[in-house]
Amino acid sequence: MRDTKTSCYNSLMSKSSLVSIDARAALRGLSKVGEATAFGVARGLNDVAFQAMRFERGNMQKRLDRPSRFTISGTQVEKASKNQGVPEAAVFIEDKRAKYLAAQEHGGTETRSTIGATRGSGSNAIVIPVAREMENALGSAGRNAVRRALRLRGTYKTADGVFRREAGGGSKMLLAFAERIVLRPNLHFVDDVTEFVRPRIGPAVSASVDRALARAVRS
């Protein structure tokens, strides 16, 4: 009798100790984790990329002389995707804008036609401030420089620029007109975007992956 009880007890123990593992459910769980991780990485990359895009659009207004909306909007983002083997986002200047901004980024020569593209339609003259009083905060002539200069007493315009008659005779050049100018690199697009992204990318991706995994676990 004791042997029978013991046998039944052992049988019950072994059944209650059994843990059933559904391999398909486990694989589905791993798949969710993998998909959530890929989504989180792509989302984090895209968040930082769009932040960098907005940052650089602001920089353009500080570093270029009267940039048009068309020029500023040329800074765009190619989004990362969770389906990429290695998710990657890119901040770039669209080709049409990049062609005439190359001299601003790398240095070079600008002509009336290229500087007109930078500033937008209706502003294709290269105006160089000669007198210090004609310079804006960027050291350039600024918007409507010729019109502003001609409002000053005793000023007049020639094919060479804008001059002011001096009290003792003669005249002083305020603004010069040029067919072409040589530029030093002043846009710094690559450097600015790289410096902006570098300290932000790790924390942003990590936080995005954590959120994506938390959602995957709850679902």
Side-chain angles (χ1 to χ4, degrees):
M1 189 69 177
R2 182 179 299 171
D3 291 342
T4 301
K5 288 182 178 180
T6 301
S7 176
C8 290
Y9 179 76
N10 288 339
S11 177
L12 288 171
M13 280 296 293
S14 57
K15 286 181 180 179
S16 64
S17 299
L18 182 64
V19 177
S20 177
I21 299 176
D22 185 343
R24 290 170 298 179
L27 289 174
R28 284 195 298 270
L30 289 174
S31 177
K32 279 187 177 181
V33 169
E35 185 175 352
T37 300
F39 174 83
V41 170
R43 181 66 178 269
L45 291 173
N46 291 335
D47 287 346
V48 176
F50 279 104
Q51 291 172 24
M53 179 195 74
R54 290 188 289 270
F55 170 76
E56 186 55 31
R57 286 183 176 184
N59 269 358
M60 280 186 167
Q61 298 179 65
K62 299 174 184 176
R63 295 190 169 174
L64 299 179
D65 179 19
R66 295 172 283 163
S68 66
R69 290 185 179 180
F70 178 79
T71 294
I72 294 170
S73 65
T75 300
Q76 299 176 11
V77 169
E78 183 177 327
K79 295 171 64 175
S81 167
K82 67 178 183 179
N83 298 321
Q84 292 173 309
V86 179
E88 181 178 84
V91 183
F92 66 100
I93 297 178
E94 188 271 338
D95 286 346
K96 291 181 181 178
R97 285 83 152 182
K99 287 179 181 178
Y100 62 76
L101 287 175
Q104 298 280 355
E105 177 71 7
H106 306 293
T109 301
E110 273 200 330
T111 64
R112 285 177 180 266
S113 60
T114 58
I115 207 164
T118 303
R119 296 172 178 174
S121 60
S123 180
N124 62 353
I126 301 178
V127 181
I128 303 171
V130 177
R132 181 63 62 86
E133 63 194 279
M134 293 290 102
E135 293 183 358
N136 62 14
L138 299 177
S140 62
R143 187 181 297 276
N144 298 320
V146 174
R147 186 180 303 171
R148 287 187 287 104
L150 290 174
R151 291 190 186 126
L152 301 175
R153 178 175 296 181
T155 56
Y156 61 95
K157 184 172 73 169
T158 72
D160 297 320
V162 177
F163 297 81
R164 180 170 58 198
R165 296 181 182 88
E166 297 293 282
S171 59
K172 175 183 179 182
M173 177 178 274
L174 302 181
L175 299 170
F177 301 151
E179 292 294 328
R180 63 182 61 242
I181 55 174
V182 177
L183 297 175
R184 293 176 297 176
N186 65 346
L187 182 56
H188 305 295
F189 176 89
V190 174
D191 292 339
D192 287 344
V193 171
T194 300
E195 290 178 12
F196 181 89
V197 167
R198 185 176 289 131
R200 293 171 173 80
I201 196 69
V205 170
S206 178
S208 182
V209 169
D210 286 346
R211 290 193 295 270
L213 288 175
R215 287 193 294 268
V217 169
R218 290 196 299 269
S219 63

